């Protein structure tokens, strides 16, 4: 075992290294590549927060994209410059039409509104279990899309809100990613996380040991929604457009796939899953165009990336049904003992 | 009586038309070890489920420390001081032995959500206290050397002990043990009998236990109730129960009792 001081130092060094690398990337790489790096960061945060709800607490939610949508729209409406707002959303009520918040408060309010939505729908829905809960949260996703499409005065309906300022940059994304990981790590290494895992293992026994099911489930659900809301808002201000279709089934399922591939009840799993499933499709996309390697030219193979990805998914699920990382967790001891530690042995 | 810690009065439970438990009454004096026995399907575990809030009684009252608890949630009843173990082990098998106990111990945690997220000193101190308490309990049950094992990997007997350690961690005044000696060999159940006495004294407990192992029951219990088809058919000291005609009939059948 390494001592705590040393681990803290290593973690700090790793963080500094990460941001130095990002800084260098920012200078050297093209906007296209930086966009991918930013999407990796956002996806990591989204999947790690999804893992808290789905993996650690066992509340299998398919509503993550719904919370992203809420966060994205709220932040977009709040941060839209007044001039544009008057043109794009003339029907907004006065108090909203005359507000232009800077990015940080917009993000936080976006996250909070998403968390409040989670609280409201969570209270009745979290009494359900397993498939029923998954279907109910999927229902929430549908409701959110319908509401967004119909609330024309606030959202411009199906046309979406465009012309958002591109506030989101590498720093916003990766600081948010680090905060998300830190908060989730703190939660799972506290009484709250243990209570959540106990609920996942056996909810009756957890309740019989004094764990308040509703409270802990709601907590996991709302924290997940909060980060999903901010993630959605960051995403919106990266792409600069939000439409009801930005956050549909596709997005929920791709997040769930990332989570399952990496390992649902592990932060490390979330990071690995999100990184792989964001990067690999982008790499494969290059194949579709067709490349010439050493005189041998490969013709364009349209759709090959999706086929390869699907095959990889099937293989991973067969070979490692609990995900690439499983429920293990990264630890600095790894380098010393050459052995993975289960997360429960991690020190606080 | 002032010293009675748990008073159950005429509790009845119907599942649709089926009467599972009828007019079950019990008065537990402080410090007593009471036994609940009866043939399979007599409703013993249903009684536990009624007492701990898994089921709500159809009628009747349950008073813990003079407070009516019928219809309260499990976690509320635990926090009022009545904990239980499960007949068919319900450990958190993918958590470590220590974490299993910590989950139960944290009913008395003294830090909040924001302190945990910020990693405040109150959180660190709270966690340290919880760990110390949990370790002490594991030591009492002879499980401390297994603290970092996944609880699902423990041998059966140790899992039973862990169930008790976990229930104790909630800081109960009344402890309900559902077949604590099930699956144990005679030597293990003898040890368990001793352990139950020791924890009763050390933690100032009142214990109600369901058990099929008559050695354990007769050795340990001050009072015994016999349940058959959801009704109490006999109640008294171990010696009285052993010679009670109705009890022998319920267990062995009338023909055997007359033989």
């Amino acid at each position: 075992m390494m001592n705590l001081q040393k681990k803290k130092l290593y973690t700090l060094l790793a963080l500094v290294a990460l941001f130095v690398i990002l800084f260098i990337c920012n200078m050297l790489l093209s906007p296209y590549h930086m966009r991918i790096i930013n999407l990796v960061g956002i996806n990591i945060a989204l999947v790690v927060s999804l893992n808290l709800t789905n993996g650690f607490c066992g509340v299998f939610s398919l509503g993550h994209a719904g919370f992203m949508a809420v966060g994205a729209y709220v932040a977009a409406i709040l941060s839209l410059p007044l001039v544009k707002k008057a043109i794009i959303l003339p029907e907004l009520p006065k108090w909203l039409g005359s507000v232009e918040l800077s990015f940080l408060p917009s993000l936080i309010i976006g996250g909070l509104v998403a968390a409040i939505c989670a609280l409201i729908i969570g209270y009745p829905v979290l009494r359900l279990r397993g498939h029923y809960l998954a279907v109910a949260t999927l229902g929430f996703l549908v409701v959110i899309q319908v509401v967004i499409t119909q609330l024309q005065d606030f959202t411009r309906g199906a046309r979406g809100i465009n012309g958002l300022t591109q506030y989101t940059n590498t720093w916003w994304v990766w600081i948010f990613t680090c905060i998300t990981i830190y908060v989730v790590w703190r939660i799972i290494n506290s009484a709250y996380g243990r209570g959540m895992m106990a609920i996942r293992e056996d909810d009756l026994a957890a309740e019989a040991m004094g764990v308040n099911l509703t409270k802990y489930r709601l907590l996991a659900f709302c924290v997940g929604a909060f980060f999903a809301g901010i993630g959605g808002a960051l995403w919106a201000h990266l792409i600069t457009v939000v439409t009801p279709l930005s956050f549909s089934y596709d997005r929920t399922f791709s997040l769930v796939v990332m989570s399952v591939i990496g390992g649902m009840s592990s932060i490390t799993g979330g990071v690995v899953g999100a990184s792989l499933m964001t990067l690999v499709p982008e790499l494969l996309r290059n194949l579709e165009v067709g490349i010439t390697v050493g005189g041998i030219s490969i013709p364009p193979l349209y759709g090959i990336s999706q086929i390869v990805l699907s095959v990889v998914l099937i293989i991973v699920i067969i070979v490692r049904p609990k995900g690439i990382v499983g429920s293990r967790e990264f630890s600095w001891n790894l380098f010393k003992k050459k052995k993975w530690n289960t997360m429960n042995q991690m020190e606080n | 009586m002032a010293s009675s810690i748990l008073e159950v009065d005429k509790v009845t439970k119907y599942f649709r038309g089926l009467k599972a438990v009828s007019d079950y009454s019990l008065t537990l004096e402080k410090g007593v070890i009471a036994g609940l026995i009866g043939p399979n399907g007599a409703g013993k575990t249903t009684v536990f489920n009624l007492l701990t809030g898994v089921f709500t009684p159809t009628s009747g009252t349950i008073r813990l420390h003079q407070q009516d608890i019928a219809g309260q949630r499990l976690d509320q009843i635990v926090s009022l001081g009545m904990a239980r173990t499960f007949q068919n082990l319900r450990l958190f098998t993918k958590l470590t032995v220590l974490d299993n106990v910590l989950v139960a111990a944290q009913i008395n945690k003294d830090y909040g959500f924001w302190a945990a997220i910020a990693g405040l000193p109150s959180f660190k101190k709270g966690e340290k206290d919880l760990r110390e308490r949990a370790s002490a309990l594991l030591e009492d049950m002879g499980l401390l050397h297994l603290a970092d094992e996944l609880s699902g990997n423990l041998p059966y007997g140790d899992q039973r002990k862990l169930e008790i350690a976990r229930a104790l961690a909630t800081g109960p005044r009344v402890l309900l043990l559902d077949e604590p000696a099930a699956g144990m060999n005679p030597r293990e159940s003898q040890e368990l009998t001793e352990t139950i006495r020791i924890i009763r004294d050390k933690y100032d407990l009142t214990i109600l236990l369901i058990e099929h192992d008559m050695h354990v029951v007769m050795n340990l219990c001050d009072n015994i109730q016999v349940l058959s088809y959801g009704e109490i058919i006999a109640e008294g000291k171990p010696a009285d129960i052993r010679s009670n005609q109705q009890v022998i009939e319920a267990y062995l059948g009338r023909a055997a009792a007359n033989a």
Side-chain angles (χ1 to χ4, degrees), chain A residues 186 191-192 194 201-202 208 344, chain B residues 78 90 106 111 113 116 127:
Chain A
R186 272 287 177 208
Y192 296 95
R194 280 193 301 268
E201 294 295 312
D202 187 329
N344 303 302
Chain B
V78 183
R90 281 175 168 267
Q106 68 197 30
Y111 61 83
F113 181 65
E127 278 290 292

Side-chain angles (χ1 to χ4, degrees), chain B residues 170-233:
Chain B
T170 63
R173 309 305 310 277
V174 180
L175 182 62
L176 309 184
L177 301 173
D178 199 343
E179 298 199 23
M184 289 186 173
N185 64 36
R187 195 178 55 81
E188 284 173 326
S189 53
Q190 179 59 38
E191 279 174 16
L192 182 81
T193 311
E194 290 309 311
T195 313
I196 291 175
R197 278 217 184 85
I198 291 168
I199 58 170
R200 190 261 314 259
D201 296 338
K202 181 163 179 184
Y203 296 100
D204 200 14
L205 294 171
T206 306
I207 294 176
L208 175 64
L209 62 90
I210 296 174
E211 187 50 70
H212 281 299
D213 185 331
M214 283 306 140
H215 286 290
V216 174
V217 177
M218 295 298 166
N219 269 326
L220 203 52
C221 297
D222 305 305
N223 288 303
I224 296 174
Q225 287 181 318
V226 187
L227 214 58
S228 179
Y229 293 106
E231 290 181 41
I232 299 174
I233 58 167

Side-chain angles (χ1 to χ4, degrees), chain B residues 7 21 27 40 53 82 86-87 92 97 210 218-219 233 256:
Chain B
E7 291 170 86
V21 171
T27 307
N40 288 328
M82 181 155 64
F86 292 93
Q87 179 185 356
F92 310 121
V97 169
I210 296 174
M218 295 298 166
N219 269 326
I233 58 167

Side-chain angles (χ1 to χ4, degrees), chain A residues 182-183 186 189-192 194-195 198 201-202 204-212 219 322 344-345 348, chain B residues 73-75 78 84 86 90 92-94 96 99 102-103 106 109 111-113 116-117 119 123 127 131 148:
Chain A
Y182 174 78
V183 169
R186 272 287 177 208
N189 284 293
S190 74
Y192 296 95
R194 280 193 301 268
E201 294 295 312
D202 187 329
L204 179 68
E207 207 177 6
M209 295 305 132
V211 177
N212 184 334
L219 186 68
K322 300 222 156 147
N344 303 302
Q345 287 158 347
N348 287 307
Chain B
R73 285 198 320 267
L74 280 92
D75 56 298
V78 183
R84 70 175 292 180
F86 292 93
R90 281 175 168 267
F92 310 121
T93 49
K94 293 204 184 67
T96 63
D99 278 346
L102 281 172
V103 167
Q106 68 197 30
K109 72 175 165 27
Y111 61 83
F113 181 65
I117 285 191
F123 163 72
E127 278 290 292
R131 268 160 213 279
D148 291 330

Side-chain angles (χ1 to χ4, degrees), chain B residues 10-16 18 20-21 50 55-60:
Chain B
K10 292 206 177 75
V11 162
T12 300
K13 176 68 185 175
Y14 283 94
F15 292 110
R16 298 225 168 82
L18 180 78
V21 171
L50 288 166
F55 301 142
T56 305
T58 311
S59 65

Side-chain angles (χ1 to χ4, degrees), chain A residues 31-105:
Chain A
Y32 164 73
H33 289 111
M34 278 324 288
R35 188 169 171 152
I36 295 173
I37 289 178
N38 291 337
L39 283 178
V40 170
I42 294 178
N43 280 337
I44 289 176
L46 288 168
V47 175
V48 168
S49 60
L50 184 71
N51 275 3
L52 179 73
T53 320
N54 291 22
F56 288 106
C57 195
V59 172
F60 201 92
S61 159
L62 291 175
H64 224 53
F67 297 121
M68 285 177 72
V70 172
Y73 269 94
V74 168
I77 293 168
L78 289 175
S79 74
L80 202 64
L82 286 181
V83 190
K84 279 186 190 162
K85 210 181 264 192
I87 302 165
I88 297 178
L89 299 166
E91 308 290 329
L92 273 185
K94 250 209 154 42
W95 60 275
L96 257 182
S98 56
V99 196
E100 183 193 337
L101 293 183
S102 54
F103 194 37
L104 184 62

